[in-house]
Amino acid sequence: MSLKGNLKGKRALVTGGSKGIGLAVVESLVEAGASVAISARTTKDVERLTKRLAKRTKAKVVGVVADLSDPDHCTSVVEKAASAMGGLDILVNNAGVGIFKSIEAMTWEEWRQQIDLNLGAVWACTKAAIPHLKASSDAWVINIGSLASRNAFAKGTGYNASKFGLLGMTEAMMLDLRDHEIRVSLVMPGSVNTDFGSSPREKGRGWKLEAEDCALAVMQLLAYPKGAHVSRIEMRPAVVAKR
Ligand code: NAP
C-alpha cells in the first residue's frame, strides 16, 4: 500500500490546516501531489503557509481565512476552496477547540464555542461540500474526533459533548452518504503534542502522539482502494505518561 504520490489531481480542504494535526495533514497531502485548501482564522499564518507550500508543489495551494464557528462562513470556505481548485474530493474536518473547565467554571459562551466549532462546523462544512463530493470520482470526508469521543473526563463537559456528538454524527453521515460513494471516516487520537488546549507543544518526541502520526492515519485511509472503507481509527500513545 503506497502512502505517497497517489493523490495527484485530488483536491482537498483541511479546516484548521495552519497548525498542529491539520498542518501535518496538509504537508502530507501536498507531498502526495494533491491540491490543498487551508482554512483557519489567522490571516498571517494562512498567508505564510500557502506561500511556503506553493514553492514545493505544482498543484494548487489555496488559503481561506474564516471563523468556522459561523455556519455561513463554513459554506463560503467550502465554495471558495472548490472554486479555486476546480472541485473537491477530500474534506478533512479538523478545526477544533478544547476548553477544559469544570461545569461550575465554564461559561455558556465557552460551551457554545466548542459545540459550534467541533460539531456545528463539521456538519455545516460537510453539508456544503456534498454537491462537490458527489461530482468526485473518489470522495472522502475525514473527521478528526478524539478518544474523548468515547471517554468522558472531569472538566470535559463541553469537549466531551462535542466529540461524543461527533462520533455519532460521523456514523450517521457515513450512512447518509455511502450511497453516493462518499466515504466518511473518523480518526480518534489520544493526546497529541500540539498547542491545543492549555499546554504548549513540547520540543521533541515525548510520550504523546505527534501530529504526523495522525496525518499518517489520514493518509492510510485515503490509500484504501474504492470499495474498501475503514470508517474509524482509534490511536493512542504507545506508553501511558507517568504521573
Ligand atoms: P491546534 O494545534 O490548536 O490547531 C487548531 C487549528 O484550528 C488551527 O489551525 C487554528 O487556527 C484552527 N481553528 C481554531 N479555531 C478555529 C475557528 N473558530 N475557525 C477556524 N479555524 C479554527 O489543534 P490540534 O491539536 O491540531 O487539534 C486539531 C483537532 O484534533 C481538533 O479537532 C482537536 O479536537 C483534535 N484532537 C486534538 C488532540 C490533541 O491532544 N491535540 C487530541 C485528539 C483530538 P486559528 O487559531 O488561526 O483559527
Side-chain angles (χ1 to χ4, degrees):
M1 179 164 79
S2 167
L3 298 180
K4 282 189 181 167
N6 58 348
L7 294 178
K8 286 204 173 75
K10 300 290 178 202
R11 299 147 301 181
L13 166 60
V14 182
T15 70
S18 65
K19 292 180 205 154
I21 295 169
L23 173 59
V25 171
V26 164
E27 300 256 12
S28 299
L29 290 167
V30 166
E31 197 180 331
S35 288
V36 182
I38 299 151
S39 130
R41 290 168 303 177
T42 312
T43 307
K44 68 170 176 11
D45 289 349
V46 172
E47 282 179 356
R48 202 181 300 142
L49 179 61
T50 50
K51 211 178 272 178
R52 174 167 74 75
L53 292 175
K55 289 183 190 150
R56 271 178 34 196
T57 179
K58 291 194 177 78
K60 286 216 159 87
V61 181
V62 179
V64 194
V65 175
D67 183 341
L68 294 176
S69 51
D70 178 335
D72 291 339
H73 292 185
C74 294
T75 307
S76 81
V77 163
V78 170
E79 292 310 325
K80 281 180 188 164
S83 147
M85 296 188 292
L88 189 65
D89 306 288
I90 301 162
L91 170 63
V92 182
N93 285 306
N94 162 77
V97 64
I99 301 167
F100 304 108
K101 292 182 179 176
S102 74
I103 185 167
E104 279 184 292
M106 191 175 293
T107 64
W108 175 254
E109 287 69 28
E110 289 168 333
W111 193 83
R112 282 253 37 130
Q113 209 182 323
Q114 295 172 91
I115 300 297
D116 288 350
L117 182 63
N118 302 359
L119 202 49
V122 177
W123 190 90
C125 286
T126 304
K127 186 171 171 65
I130 289 169
H132 304 290
L133 297 174
K134 276 177 159 178
S136 161
S137 60
D138 189 7
W140 282 92
V141 176
I142 298 178
N143 296 337
I144 306 300
S146 169
L147 290 184
S149 293
R150 65 181 192 81
N151 301 323
F153 46 82
K155 302 187 179 174
T157 54
Y159 193 65
N160 280 137
S162 70
K163 293 294 186 182
F164 270 65
L166 182 60
L167 171 58
M169 189 174 78
T170 303
E171 291 188 357
M173 234 180 224
M174 174 184 76
L175 298 173
D176 278 349
L177 298 180
R178 70 195 308 188
D179 289 342
H180 300 300
E181 295 188 42
I182 301 170
R183 285 177 277 182
V184 180
S185 299
L186 186 69
V187 176
M188 297 165 59
S191 296
V192 187
N193 184 21
T194 68
D195 289 319
F196 187 77
S198 50
S199 53
R201 185 156 56 103
E202 290 159 23
K203 284 215 171 91
R205 188 166 194 123
W207 66 271
K208 291 181 180 179
L209 293 166
E210 291 293 331
E212 290 70 22
D213 303 329
C214 305
L216 182 58
V218 170
M219 297 307 281
Q220 280 172 345
L221 289 173
L222 295 174
Y224 275 90
K226 264 186 115 173
H229 180 199
V230 175
S231 52
R232 191 197 295 184
I233 294 182
E234 287 190 25
M235 51 194 304
R236 64 196 76 234
V239 177
V240 179
K242 290 197 175 65
R243 294 180 196 278

